[in-house]
Amino acid sequence: MLANADAGVPGLPDTTVSVRETFKIDSDMDVPAYGAPDEHVPDIDPDYLFNREVTLAILAGFKHNRRVMIQGYHGTGKSTHIEQVAARLNWPCVRVNLDSHVSRIDLVGKDAIVVRDGMQVTEFREGILPWALQNNVALVFDEYDAGRPDVMFVIQRVLEVSGKLTLLDQSKVIRPHPAFRLFSTTNTIGLGDTSGLYHGTQQINQGQMDRWSIVCTLNYLSHDAESDIVASKVKEFADGANGKETISSMVRVADLTRNAFINGDLSTVMSPRTVITWAENAHIFGDVGFGFRLTFLNKCDELERPLVAEFYQRCFGAELPESAANVALS
């Protein structure tokens, strides 16, 4: 919990929530929260399904001011887990995509020319990091393993719980707000990409990795859990004739692509996000096969499409134009 020395600081949590009641997770933990949301609090998704281990890790980050990194394949819900936890705590949350175009100036700030009283003057405009550090904000760095080395070293000092940020240009030292929280999401675990799936990622300095006090993994879910998530996201499709059976078959196709990817037979893999998009497109076009081709099959290498079409045929008992049988006949 927050130290007594922080009492009287504006922007501190003013209530608590029960993890058991709010997140339906068997835990006696109570987490600090805010009684009312502000403009930076994410919208609540009432149908969101939480992963127990990842949710507890995120909640520990909010309650105990731990630096939490979530690693896993794309589309598994790493960022949305943090957002939906923050939404239920009414905790302001800001996401920054840490791609290779984000520079040190973007994070820290820069001098800007402004007009004041009819005169052009130069003043320092703070970047997202100093602003978040001074407020009760949960800052989330997405694609953390894609950040530039010079940017990563700026973040490194802030990773310590009491880490102050020094603005050299301003001769100013910023002390973090007691309710500032820091999270990150990453596809790799800081050792670089060995699969070839995530181009642009790089190794993370191990001294920096050591400063992330909680690291958890969120990869693909069980078949039933993923089917429930898709059904909750695309209710119109799930409530239709044979909707849930169709969704189960969709997830089975996704499972086959993941096994093929692990075995080195495919270079593209279906994420849970892809399955949700497939269900949405199937509902839009009224055709599961056509929705599959538009959502995933057309993204695959041409040489791999017959294999992916075979996975579809196994699960749905229907041939696609890209199937090996149709290609051989033509």
Side-chain angles (χ1 to χ4, degrees):
M1 292 294 290
L2 299 168
N4 291 332
D6 296 330
V9 176
L12 293 181
D14 51 19
T15 185
T16 60
V17 300
S18 166
V19 172
R20 181 174 285 106
E21 294 177 5
T22 305
F23 298 94
K24 313 305 179 187
I25 292 176
D26 186 17
S27 172
D28 295 328
M29 185 189 299
D30 290 325
V31 184
Y34 294 89
D38 72 6
E39 59 181 339
H40 296 298
V41 174
D43 295 330
I44 289 181
D45 180 353
D47 301 316
Y48 198 82
L49 299 180
F50 290 94
N51 174 281
R52 183 180 187 277
E53 293 183 0
V54 173
T55 303
L56 288 176
I58 296 169
L59 289 169
F62 277 107
K63 180 174 182 178
H64 299 288
N65 196 13
R66 312 299 284 171
R67 303 299 189 237
V68 182
M69 171 183 285
I70 306 176
Q71 180 268 337
Y73 288 120
H74 59 285
T76 52
K78 301 182 294 296
S79 302
T80 52
H81 255 78
I82 301 172
E83 280 190 325
Q84 288 305 309
V85 170
R88 285 157 175 78
L89 300 179
N90 283 326
W91 205 299
C93 180
V94 176
R95 289 171 57 180
V96 176
N97 197 322
L98 208 62
D99 58 48
S100 59
H101 295 288
V102 174
S103 66
R104 182 183 184 279
I105 290 177
D106 295 324
L107 283 186
V108 176
K110 60 184 177 181
D111 289 327
I113 298 175
V114 298
V115 177
R116 195 180 304 279
D117 297 329
M119 300 285 291
Q120 286 189 344
V121 296
T122 301
E123 67 178 30
F124 183 77
R125 293 287 180 87
E126 290 183 344
I128 188 68
L129 188 56
W131 172 81
L133 199 65
Q134 297 173 87
N135 289 279
N136 55 326
V137 170
L139 182 60
V140 183
F141 286 123
D142 284 329
E143 316 300 341
Y144 189 73
D145 48 357
R148 290 164 37 173
D150 59 325
V151 171
M152 306 305 278
F153 282 111
V154 172
I155 298 171
Q156 183 160 320
R157 181 70 179 94
V158 181
L159 286 175
E160 299 174 10
V161 172
S162 60
K164 304 176 183 65
L165 179 64
T166 303
L167 300 179
L168 298 178
D169 297 341
Q170 301 297 302
S171 300
K172 179 181 180 182
V173 178
I174 297 177
R175 183 185 300 272
H177 189 282
F180 169 74
R181 299 293 183 265
L182 189 61
F183 300 88
S184 70
T185 67
T186 170
N187 295 128
T188 68
I189 201 63
L191 302 176
D193 176 33
T194 58
S195 67
L197 191 62
Y198 301 111
H199 299 292
T201 57
Q202 53 194 330
Q203 292 185 350
I204 300 175
N205 182 299
Q206 287 302 298
Q208 182 166 146
M209 283 295 297
D210 192 52
R211 286 170 165 82
W212 289 98
S213 46
I214 296 178
V215 178
C216 59
T217 299
L218 181 62
N219 278 329
Y220 300 126
L221 307 172
S222 66
H223 179 93
D224 292 341
E226 186 169 345
S227 297
D228 290 342
I229 289 175
V230 177
S232 69
K233 290 291 186 181
V234 196
K235 291 182 178 179
E236 302 88 352
F237 185 76
D239 293 340
N242 302 318
K244 292 187 177 179
E245 291 82 356
T246 302
I247 288 174
S248 180
S249 297
M250 289 176 167
V251 175
R252 196 169 296 113
V253 174
D255 289 337
L256 290 173
T257 67
R258 293 162 193 168
N259 291 333
F261 172 76
I262 292 171
N263 294 331
D265 299 325
L266 275 185
S267 58
T268 312
V269 66
M270 289 185 72
S271 69
R273 182 192 296 128
T274 306
V275 182
I276 293 171
T277 305
W278 178 12
E280 291 171 343
N281 287 340
H283 178 66
I284 290 172
F285 296 105
D287 188 327
V288 175
F290 185 55
F292 177 66
R293 294 172 65 199
L294 296 182
T295 305
F296 180 72
L297 190 59
N298 290 344
K299 297 177 183 177
C300 298
D301 186 282
E302 288 188 10
L303 297 178
E304 297 176 351
R305 290 180 188 179
L307 176 61
V308 177
E310 180 185 334
F311 294 157
Y312 180 90
Q313 193 278 334
R314 286 189 207 173
C315 299
F316 286 94
E319 297 284 358
L320 294 176
E322 292 83 358
S323 68
N326 288 337
V327 171
L329 288 174
S330 61

